[in-house]
Amino acid sequence: MSGLRVIKPGPQSVLQDGGRRGWQHLGVSPAGPLDGHAAAWANHLLNNAWGTPLLEIALGDVELQAEVDTWVAVCGAQMPLSVDDQPQPLWTRLPLRKGQHLRLGFARSGQRAYLAVAGGFCAEPVLGSVSVQLREGFGRALQVGDRLACRSAHFSHRASAPWPYLGHYSGTPLLRVITGGDAAEFAEDQLQRFFAQSWRLSPLSDRMGARLLGEPLQPPARQWSLGVARGAIQVPADGQPIILQADHQTMGGYPLLGWLHPLDQGRLAQCPAHHSLRFTPISISDAQAELREFYRFFRR
């Protein structure tokens, strides 16, 4: 099958879909896109179903050559996008003709962009998913000469995401947290310290976890391990919180302060190393209402 041939793969470009669900009891993390908002819009612009396989591009510097007439959309980080050296807009459905070269420069703002193609990329699923998870050996990053298989497609016109829904990645994001887990075991002044201070994102952060740097917290003791989910905020003995990302482990023994709002996980994933972060509490009912609205729109 023809598709998009990889001329330059970038620092780390990996296929992702809705995630590898239903295997955490065997120690397999779900993976999936780090920025679900940008990934959802890239697929939506092409009338693809929720979770259709697309390409997550970290930092940029990617070049692909089309071997088929199709349409694409790139959403997420501000990476200069061009087709045959002609600048093109992000967050927009674009035609890509056989023989043309699509290029993405290095990110100017944000960290990850999502390239979707009409109908999605075709790849052999493993445990029900094509999501690449490098730590556990599920797939690998793109290499020069790879082919991203896809089918030809046609639309009658371009389309763009409405401007209020575009990602904006500058400034200090205020990320919302659902307190819970072991939060009641933390001293009240420690919870206040978490929300009152400005944290920095550690350069040791990756797809497994976002590590925070700041005035250390004093976590309570924990005597057992339990299952953990994406967005869980662990506080190890050094007092520097870790927010679990898409490639998180499935069990953990560090005390849990709460969970990052699912719709703010993408904003966290777009922050570069040493970026400032602040947090504010949100009720679980408000978070659930927002998440239901998100899924109603993208899964209809």
Side-chain angles (χ1 to χ4, degrees):
M1 178 183 292
S2 298
L4 306 184
R5 186 164 60 91
V6 179
I7 308 300
K8 294 178 68 176
Q12 187 179 94
S13 301
V14 292
L15 281 178
Q16 299 293 338
D17 56 17
R20 190 166 283 108
R21 307 296 174 181
W23 297 97
Q24 292 193 67
H25 66 293
L26 297 179
V28 179
S29 69
L34 285 185
D35 186 346
H37 172 82
W41 267 109
N43 270 326
H44 182 75
L45 287 168
L46 295 162
N47 295 336
N48 291 341
W50 169 268
T52 296
L54 43 55
L55 188 64
E56 179 180 275
I57 298 169
L59 302 180
D61 195 31
V62 166
E63 181 179 348
L64 308 170
Q65 183 180 21
E67 299 177 336
V68 64
D69 290 345
T70 188
W71 285 64
V72 299
V74 180
C75 300
Q78 294 298 312
M79 298 178 184
L81 170 65
S82 66
V83 173
D84 283 352
D85 296 324
Q86 296 300 309
Q88 302 293 332
L90 300 173
W91 301 83
T92 299
R93 182 172 70 207
L94 305 167
L96 186 65
R97 303 307 181 203
K98 183 177 180 179
Q100 290 186 317
H101 286 247
L102 181 149
R103 295 181 177 88
L104 281 165
F106 282 106
R108 297 168 176 167
S109 176
Q111 296 288 285
R112 295 170 175 86
Y114 294 84
L115 188 155
V117 64
F121 292 112
C122 303
E124 189 67 28
V126 178
L127 299 183
S129 171
V130 306
S131 286
V132 171
Q133 213 276 49
L134 299 175
R135 181 171 54 86
E136 294 174 356
F138 290 97
R140 60 171 174 78
L142 288 192
Q143 298 177 6
V144 174
D146 284 348
R147 177 179 287 108
L148 295 165
C150 61
R151 299 177 176 87
S152 61
H154 175 73
F155 287 89
S156 61
H157 61 276
R158 298 188 178 203
S160 300
W163 71 264
Y165 299 99
L166 306 187
H168 301 286
Y169 309 121
S170 59
T172 300
L174 184 63
L175 305 177
R176 297 163 296 176
V177 169
I178 306 162
T179 55
D182 302 298
E185 304 300 320
F186 281 79
E188 182 61 30
D189 67 312
Q190 296 304 300
L191 288 178
Q192 292 177 359
R193 177 181 297 177
F194 174 78
F195 289 110
Q197 71 171 294
S198 178
W199 298 87
R200 290 184 297 112
L201 186 64
S202 167
L204 299 179
S205 301
D206 55 19
R207 280 186 52 91
M208 183 177 179
R211 297 174 176 271
L212 306 184
L213 300 173
E215 185 179 352
L217 304 180
Q218 296 178 6
R222 164 67 77 78
Q223 302 297 325
W224 62 88
S225 294
L226 46 73
V228 290
R230 183 174 178 186
I233 303 174
Q234 298 181 316
V235 184
D238 66 3
Q240 306 292 344
I242 303 170
I243 304 177
L244 299 188
Q245 296 279 61
D247 292 354
H248 63 81
Q249 76 278 18
T250 59
M251 295 287 291
Y254 295 136
L256 298 181
L257 186 148
W259 294 268
L260 185 65
H261 190 313
L263 298 183
D264 287 356
Q265 292 169 2
R267 297 171 63 199
L268 173 62
Q270 295 290 3
C271 293
H274 304 294
H275 198 78
S276 294
L277 306 166
R278 296 189 67 90
F279 298 91
T280 188
I282 187 174
S283 70
I284 188 170
S285 59
D286 287 346
Q288 287 173 333
E290 292 185 5
L291 195 59
R292 281 194 296 267
E293 183 178 355
F294 177 86
Y295 283 135
R296 275 196 298 266
F297 180 79
F298 286 108
R299 291 194 172 187
R300 61 187 178 186

